[in-house]
Amino acid sequence: LIRSLPGLRVPDANDVLFAAGEAKNLGSVSGPNRQRDLCTFCTISLDQEEVFRTKVFDKSVCPFYGEDFYFEIPRPFQCLSFYVYAKSVFQRDLPVGKVSIRKDDLCKYSGKENWFSLQTVDPNSEVQGKVHLEMRLSEVITENGSTGQHISVRIIECKELPLISGQNCDPYATVSLVGPARSDQKKTKVKKKTSNPHFEETFFFEVTRSYSRRTQFNVEEEDIEKLEIKVDLWNNENLAQDVFLGETRVPHSNVLFLLLSPIRYLLQPKGNGNKSKSDDLGSLRLKLTYIEDTVLPSACYTPLCTLLLKSPDVKPISASAAHILGDICRERYEVVLPMVRLLLHNNRFVPFVSAVAALELDNTQEANTIFRGNSLATRCIDDMMKIVGKNYLSVTLKPVIDEICESNKTCEIDPIKLKEGDNVEVNKENLQGYVQKVFSSITQSSSNCPPLMCDVFRSLRHLACKRFPGDPHVQYSAVSSFVFLRFFAVAVLSPHSFQLRSHHPDPEISRTLTLISKTIQTLGSWGSLSKKLSSFKETYMYDFFKSFQEEKCIEKVKKFLDEISSNVSKESSGLEDAVVLKEGEVQKRAQGRKPPGMKTFKKRWLRLTNRELSYHKHKGETNADRTINVKNIRAVEKVDESAFNRKNMFQVVHSEKPLYVQAGNCVEASEWLEVLSQVSRCNEGRLATFHPSNYTSGAWQCCQSLSSNAPGCKPCTTTMLANLQLDIDCDREAERIFSLLSLHFVMFVLSTDACASLAVYQGPQREPEEYSKFTIQEPKETFHTLKQLRNIMEELQRQHNSRNDVRQYGSL
């Protein structure tokens, strides 16, 4: 996200949640694959840059992928595309078809499931980027005294051209004046290794028909209509055929009406995308959630943030802005997340959630139903645990989840679902071993539990004891209902959703994880064994659970819950195993001087644990080419594209020379920067400045400093040295809150009416059904807060209206 200064155009912030459902009736592809033997997978691309791919689905023309991906879009884009490929063993993967959705159309499909027909993948239609042109029509006098027209075409630059084989292209442009009987073509110089070439070349074309000065502009109408300016972009391939990158066409008649200022044109497929009807290639079912917010300058959000951050101090809490927001938008689960992030960033989350939890407990009549519903308190704590506990989950569960997924032992114990040849006793033993490992990992992890989560659990424990003083177990159930039922058990059930696995597990592994999750939920809940056993409807689960020792498990759970919710400070033994936080294939620049004949960049497998960053020649190798202790990382920053003529570059600055790395795509680069920053931000000796380019030919290319040890010329990305290792853009979160409140303006008005009604008509009365949706304890105080919110919303809307963008694109 790039924030704009006042008066400049405000950029958009984009998030995409993509769910790849299934494909049906996939058509045949060229090659040896028979249709029924198709092994397919689906990829997701921003323009022409692949950012995600699903697992391969074996031998089906109607594959069910069932995968979902969430990512923040780190750069401008034109299209979100989905490609279906047929996997090939002996040759490159073959495209079956694609679905391409323009950015402007994403909102139409957001939040809905849709079937999309697959379109043919044509190399001449795979285009992206824009070209900046200036065209002028002028009158000239020829040698014989007649008057004609000249068109000057100035090609200034191109932006966001696609990568070719993962690298920047070598682009050039051809500029033509074409018509029924002519085609005059001129060519720019080739620009090396760039996706944003700056040409700055001007070409002149003479309109062939001329006329006497006495008959000014007496040009035949058909010439004006049929001539056009055509600009083609190509990648120079030297020994191979040049690759088409896109084109734009401007009718000659349009030149008469063009402004003198340059105009940006979106590049189009060859022939403007005109193509014959393709064969039936099948369909792809997708569910998209696309969020786009226009973020204003920081000062615009100060009143809203101030009002929300005062919420923990408002009495009663139901009259606070944050509680009102949750009430008004209760049907939209996503409204809680920006509010939680804003409160977390400003250290106001614990007092707010404590007040909200106290309000919920006041309305809870029985201790055994504590925090069971989907309330504002439970939703806030759920989101907090996902944000704050991300690394805690990875450290605690990832090693054992990886073992379960990779060992692939059969654990089915339901007699109805057993396959031929399965031994139920062996399966039960396998499942019991996995449950014991998961349970032990959880109950021995208290030293890694984030302090903020401990603060929340301690508050919940205290509030529960105060509300139900006669129940000795409620102090534990108040905590276990979150940490076991809503945190660990859910992560075991769906490891992909918590970034513990890169893909959804296959059906058999998913079944194993379901059985483990059910057992962990029961082991972690507080109560007697007889109550636990009665909660199982399935006989086979009843029999399986009897194999666990009741008192031993209860004592372990009790000890764990005491440790994460008590006032006793916990210190890590420092002996915990190294946990892989992220790994993947990258291009790494050779360190030091490059020996003759050695490639500058090499493919390597980059691996980050909570202890070290290492790179290996191949995935799975234990011996690393190089290892960097995470405590020695002094900065993690982006590298300018011009430094190596490569996109998606970042650098890891440590005690020796910087490590320069190119990620596979823009989303991967953003994720590497985030996780490396998180794991190293509390290191001693972090740098305040860095060099965004490289040191070569005796100087830093960014600032021309001659010394290789010269201090950086650009400030490092701001870090937050706190227990909560999290980057939050408060302006963006405030804008999301404003957008959601605007969408629920009707509920906002109803809430205001409800306050007015209760304030005027005191005492019991029959309220309209709509009014019962709101928690109103003090009508006057709540009305006052609503009035403040409304004034703030109206002012933000005025700010948005005054900043409407008027940028022109010739092709839109």
Side-chain angles (χ1 to χ4, degrees):
L1 176 67
I2 305 170
R3 185 176 297 108
S4 122
L5 297 175
L8 299 181
R9 181 177 185 269
V10 182
D12 297 329
N14 309 291
D15 289 296
V16 164
L17 173 65
F18 156 65
E22 60 182 315
K24 67 180 180 182
N25 304 325
L26 293 181
S28 59
V29 295
S30 57
N33 303 66
R34 292 178 298 173
Q35 190 171 8
R36 68 173 182 273
D37 293 335
L38 278 181
C39 297
T40 62
F41 62 93
C42 184
T43 67
I44 314 167
S45 296
L46 285 173
D47 296 322
Q48 301 307 307
E49 183 180 18
E50 181 184 320
V51 293
F52 288 109
R53 67 170 54 192
T54 67
K55 290 195 301 184
V56 177
F57 199 96
D58 288 341
K59 299 182 180 180
S60 174
V61 295
C62 296
F64 181 81
Y65 299 112
E67 297 204 37
D68 54 283
F69 303 92
Y70 171 83
F71 59 101
E72 183 172 319
I73 300 174
R75 63 168 177 80
F77 73 104
Q78 295 176 27
C79 287
L80 183 67
S81 301
F82 308 89
Y83 294 82
V84 177
Y85 287 92
K87 188 70 178 175
S88 179
V89 178
F90 301 108
Q91 59 187 28
R92 67 184 182 87
D93 300 326
L94 302 172
V96 176
K98 71 171 183 178
V99 173
S100 189
I101 306 173
R102 291 183 65 87
K103 177 185 175 183
D104 296 339
D105 295 331
L106 281 172
C107 290
K108 292 193 301 188
Y109 304 109
S110 183
K112 308 170 188 174
E113 282 192 3
N114 293 277
W115 281 99
F116 296 88
S117 297
L118 292 174
Q119 303 297 319
T120 303
V121 178
D122 176 12
N124 288 330
S125 70
E126 303 293 289
V127 302
Q128 72 175 66
K130 45 186 174 278
V131 59
H132 202 180
L133 300 177
E134 181 183 51
M135 288 171 282
R136 298 190 183 189
L137 186 66
S138 56
E139 181 184 333
V140 295
I141 301 175
T142 62
E143 294 179 356
N144 61 10
S146 61
T147 303
Q149 290 178 321
H150 275 193
I151 296 176
S152 66
V153 181
R154 175 184 169 217
I155 178 166
I156 304 169
E157 62 181 349
C158 289
K159 291 289 188 182
E160 302 160 17
L161 296 179
L163 302 178
I164 303 296
S165 300
Q167 305 300 327
N168 283 330
C169 52
D170 295 335
Y172 69 89
T174 60
V175 184
S176 308
L177 179 64
V178 297
R182 64 180 289 176
S183 180
D184 300 338
Q185 185 180 94
K186 299 181 181 183
K187 177 182 172 182
T188 68
K189 296 177 181 177
V190 176
K191 300 296 180 179
K192 293 290 186 180
K193 301 298 180 187
T194 177
S195 295
N196 301 296
H198 191 79
F199 293 108
E200 197 57 64
E201 296 188 43
T202 304
F203 303 101
F204 297 92
F205 298 92
E206 182 178 351
V207 178
T208 54
R209 291 188 181 272
S210 59
Y211 47 88
S212 168
R213 296 190 68 182
R214 291 192 296 269
T215 58
Q216 288 185 349
F217 295 98
N218 186 21
V219 183
E220 294 186 17
E221 187 99 9
E222 60 180 3
D223 293 336
I224 299 285
E225 292 179 354
K226 293 182 179 179
L227 291 177
E228 65 179 5
I229 299 294
K230 179 168 166 280
V231 179
D232 294 277
L233 271 294
W234 300 85
N235 180 57
N236 183 45
E237 291 286 333
N238 292 326
L239 301 178
Q241 183 177 358
D242 292 349
V243 175
F244 176 75
L245 300 179
E247 70 173 21
T248 190
R249 295 169 178 258
V250 184
H252 181 223
S253 56
N254 284 12
V255 178
L256 292 170
F257 305 105
L258 291 176
L259 301 173
L260 294 181
S261 59
I263 296 179
R264 293 177 176 84
Y265 293 83
L266 295 178
L267 292 174
Q268 303 292 336
K270 187 166 285 188
N272 284 327
N274 297 327
K275 49 190 176 185
S276 58
K277 185 178 179 181
S278 60
D279 297 331
D280 185 6
L281 301 175
S283 303
L284 186 65
R285 181 165 64 94
L286 304 171
K287 183 176 181 181
L288 291 162
T289 299
Y290 175 73
I291 300 170
E292 178 177 312
D293 290 322
T294 300
V295 183
L296 300 172
S298 295
C300 298
Y301 299 108
T302 301
L304 179 58
C305 290
T306 301
L307 187 62
L308 287 168
L309 295 175
K310 285 168 54 180
S311 295
D313 304 322
V314 175
K315 306 294 182 186
I317 192 65
S318 61
S320 68
H323 193 281
I324 289 171
L325 175 66
D327 246 8
I328 291 174
C329 307
R330 68 174 59 191
E331 302 301 323
R332 297 287 292 268
Y333 188 84
E334 66 268 27
V335 73
V336 174
L337 181 58
M339 184 174 70
V340 167
R341 291 169 68 88
L342 196 64
L343 292 167
L344 283 172
H345 184 80
N346 292 276
N347 296 320
R348 301 291 283 160
F349 179 80
V350 176
F352 173 74
V353 84
S354 297
V356 174
L359 177 62
E360 180 175 337
L361 284 170
D362 287 342
N363 297 317
T364 303
Q365 303 304 317
E366 297 182 15
N368 61 358
T369 62
I370 191 170
F371 300 125
R372 289 289 181 88
N374 190 24
S375 64
L376 178 60
T378 58
R379 288 157 63 191
C380 284
I381 296 172
D382 281 353
D383 279 339
M384 178 277 295
M385 292 191 297
K386 290 176 183 176
I387 296 169
V388 180
K390 183 179 178 181
N391 189 60
Y392 177 39
L393 268 183
S394 184
V395 170
T396 305
L397 290 183
K398 194 175 190 309
V400 66
I401 294 292
D402 286 343
E403 179 186 346
I404 293 168
C405 293
E406 290 162 14
S407 60
N408 200 17
K409 294 179 181 178
T410 303
C411 296
E412 184 56 72
I413 58 175
D414 184 353
I416 299 175
K417 296 183 179 180
L418 287 173
K419 297 179 181 178
E420 187 177 350
D422 281 352
N423 187 320
V424 69
E425 292 303 320
V426 172
N427 292 357
K428 187 181 292 186
E429 187 177 328
N430 292 338
L431 181 60
Q432 188 171 10
Y434 285 151
V435 169
Q436 288 286 7
K437 287 184 178 182
V438 173
F439 183 70
S440 297
S441 296
I442 294 171
T443 54
Q444 295 172 13
S445 69
S446 60
S447 62
N448 293 321
C449 187
L452 192 137
M453 286 178 63
C454 294
D455 291 342
V456 171
F457 296 151
R458 183 163 55 250
S459 176
L460 294 177
R461 180 174 180 166
H462 171 74
L463 291 169
C465 290
K466 183 178 178 181
R467 175 67 180 86
F468 299 101
D471 191 321
H473 302 311
V474 73
Q475 59 177 320
Y476 297 109
S477 60
V479 179
S480 65
S481 62
F482 287 103
V483 73
F484 276 100
L485 275 65
R486 295 174 178 265
F487 189 56
F488 285 121
V490 179
V492 170
L493 184 64
S494 182
H496 172 262
S497 301
F498 291 82
Q499 292 81 51
L500 298 177
R501 297 288 293 178
S502 58
H503 294 287
H504 281 303
D506 60 43
E508 188 170 333
I509 297 296
S510 184
R511 173 63 178 164
T512 298
L513 294 175
T514 299
L515 294 172
I516 296 172
S517 178
K518 291 177 72 170
T519 311
I520 291 298
Q521 284 186 52
T522 309
L523 285 171
S525 61
W526 187 258
S528 68
L529 183 60
S530 59
K531 289 183 179 179
K532 291 177 183 176
L533 292 176
S534 64
S535 67
F536 287 121
K537 297 179 181 178
E538 308 95 337
T539 306
Y540 63 88
M541 286 300 295
Y542 180 95
D543 294 336
F544 172 71
F545 197 80
K546 283 196 299 186
S547 63
F548 291 92
Q549 297 181 34
E550 174 190 3
E551 292 303 325
K552 187 176 180 181
C553 289
I554 287 178
E555 287 305 313
K556 287 184 177 180
V557 170
K558 182 179 176 181
K559 181 175 181 292
F560 171 68
L561 295 175
D562 280 336
E563 289 172 344
I564 64 172
S565 61
S566 66
N567 291 311
V568 181
S569 62
K570 306 172 297 297
E571 293 187 4
S572 172
S573 64
L575 300 177
E576 56 269 11
D577 294 334
V579 177
V580 177
L581 302 178
K582 184 172 177 61
E583 57 183 337
E585 189 175 79
V586 299
Q587 294 274 348
K588 180 199 71 71
R589 184 174 184 264
Q591 297 289 287
R593 294 187 175 180
K594 183 182 72 171
M598 177 180 169
K599 291 183 179 179
T600 306
F601 281 83
K602 289 186 174 182
K603 282 186 180 180
R604 288 293 182 265
W605 188 262
L606 193 64
R607 188 170 183 262
L608 175 67
T609 72
N610 53 331
R611 294 180 180 177
E612 61 188 26
L613 176 69
S614 59
Y615 53 85
H616 313 250
K617 287 185 178 178
H618 304 288
K619 178 182 179 181
E621 285 189 351
T622 54
N623 295 327
D625 289 0
R626 180 71 185 278
T627 298
I628 300 169
N629 192 314
V630 294
K631 292 183 179 179
N632 294 333
I633 296 176
R634 305 177 67 192
V636 183
E637 299 289 345
K638 293 181 179 179
V639 178
D640 287 347
E641 182 181 329
S642 58
F644 302 103
N645 286 322
R646 288 173 177 247
K647 286 189 172 183
N648 307 321
M649 290 283 301
F650 64 91
Q651 58 181 305
V652 181
V653 184
H654 55 108
S655 51
E656 300 177 27
K657 293 185 178 181
L659 173 65
Y660 295 105
V661 178
Q662 182 186 28
N665 57 62
C666 59
V667 175
E668 275 286 300
S670 179
E671 290 178 354
W672 274 114
L673 283 164
E674 179 185 3
V675 70
L676 281 164
S677 296
Q678 285 181 356
V679 80
S680 65
R681 72 179 60 219
C682 293
N683 288 352
E684 295 181 3
R686 281 188 62 91
L687 298 178
T689 58
F690 76 103
H691 291 284
S693 192
N694 61 327
Y695 185 84
T696 184
S697 302
W700 287 100
Q701 299 307 297
C702 44
C703 59
Q704 301 305 311
S705 295
L706 301 180
S707 172
S708 61
N709 297 319
C713 55
K714 186 175 180 180
C716 286
T717 304
T718 304
T719 58
M720 185 170 58
L721 299 178
N723 289 329
L724 178 61
Q725 298 184 355
L726 181 72
D727 284 325
I728 293 176
D729 188 318
C730 292
D731 298 340
R732 182 173 181 184
E733 305 306 331
E735 174 59 33
R736 187 92 285 269
I737 290 169
F738 164 70
S739 298
L740 289 164
L741 273 173
S742 300
L743 287 173
H744 291 78
F745 189 72
V746 173
M747 294 294 289
F748 192 95
V749 173
L750 280 174
S751 180
T752 306
D753 290 346
C755 288
S757 175
L758 290 170
V760 174
Y761 303 104
Q762 297 294 329
Q765 69 253 303
R766 292 189 64 183
E767 301 174 7
E769 185 179 346
E770 292 86 352
Y771 294 177
S772 64
K773 298 178 181 178
F774 311 111
T775 305
I776 302 174
Q777 295 173 291
E778 292 288 340
K780 292 182 180 179
E781 186 70 28
T782 307
F783 183 84
H784 178 67
T785 305
L786 283 165
K787 186 177 179 180
Q788 289 179 288
L789 270 174
R790 183 161 187 165
N791 292 337
I792 290 169
M793 288 173 62
E794 290 174 351
E795 178 57 30
L796 282 171
Q797 189 59 57
R798 280 194 291 270
Q799 293 286 348
H800 276 287
N801 294 341
S802 67
R803 286 173 166 80
N804 283 338
D805 184 48
V806 293
R807 178 181 292 180
Q808 284 188 321
Y809 285 94
S811 303
L812 287 178

